[in-house]
Amino acid sequence: WVLKLAAQRPDLEISTPQVALREGNLRLRRDWQSRVQLTDEDLAELPQLKHVRTVSFSQCKNLTDQGLVHVGQMPQLRELHLDSLPLITSEGVQHLKGLGQLTRLEMPYLKIDGQALAQLKDLDRLESLNLTGSTIDDRSLVHLAELPRLSTLDLSYCRNLTPACVATLAKYAAL
């Protein structure tokens, strides 16, 4: 089951089985895409969704690092997409440490750096990592060595990376 949340429309439609978490405020329906301005408090009930394997947040401008506390309480997640969330920083990534089943993590256009990559070391099933547009630098890449299954890495538009980062990446056989 997939839960997608984005910030384009005031209504909320979420892709997962039909469930109502709050008297009509948060209604879950199969095969719909949501577009809503969520806050950290709105995510408090996410951990109740035990069958959701993929969660996607896109352009939710009110979500902060504190909101990731609730996401981090969903150990069954296989995929997590955190796209263009302006208030999510490296400090928030620490709340994802318990997501040991994660195989794919998308964090494009977040304000994250090497501190965030260091927090990912316990995600030993991670196969795909998208860091497009992040503020990581060449030194940050050493933390990728702790991700033994990582085979796909997107570093597009990471302006702090130099050509020297290729030498670091070449050391990781899976990439």
Side-chain angles (χ1 to χ4, degrees), residues 68-81:
L68 293 184
V69 169
H70 306 297
V71 176
Q73 296 170 358
M74 299 179 75
Q76 77 280 7
L77 287 183
R78 301 284 194 287
E79 293 188 21
L80 178 58
H81 305 265

Side-chain angles (χ1 to χ4, degrees), residues 84-149:
S84 303
L85 306 174
L87 301 179
I88 301 294
T89 68
S90 293
E91 290 182 25
V93 175
Q94 71 178 324
H95 302 299
L96 307 179
K97 287 193 239 183
L99 302 180
Q101 300 296 314
L102 222 67
T103 60
R104 183 173 180 180
L105 180 56
E106 304 272 330
M107 298 191 296
Y109 302 103
L110 298 188
K111 296 175 184 170
I112 57 172
D113 56 21
Q115 177 188 349
L117 293 186
Q119 300 294 330
L120 302 179
K121 67 182 178 187
D122 295 326
L123 304 181
D124 58 2
R125 294 185 183 206
L126 198 62
E127 298 171 2
S128 177
L129 180 60
N130 181 344
L131 300 170
T132 298
S134 71
T135 58
I136 61 168
D137 59 21
D138 295 355
R139 292 184 316 263
S140 305
L141 299 179
V142 299
H143 300 293
L144 299 178
E146 300 185 52
L147 302 172
R149 295 186 187 184

Side-chain angles (χ1 to χ4, degrees), residues 4-13 33-38 56-63 83-86:
K4 293 185 179 183
L5 303 167
Q8 300 300 322
R9 297 187 331 238
D11 59 325
L12 176 60
E13 302 167 351
Q33 167 122 5
S34 85
R35 303 197 185 279
V36 68
Q37 288 300 332
L38 293 173
S56 179
F57 297 102
S58 180
Q59 301 176 18
C60 298
K61 67 180 182 180
N62 297 324
L63 290 184
D83 183 5
S84 303
L85 306 174

Side-chain angles (χ1 to χ4, degrees), residues 24-38:
N25 288 343
L26 186 54
R27 194 167 189 83
L28 309 179
R29 297 180 182 160
R30 184 178 283 286
D31 299 326
W32 288 3
Q33 167 122 5
S34 85
R35 303 197 185 279
V36 68
Q37 288 300 332
L38 293 173

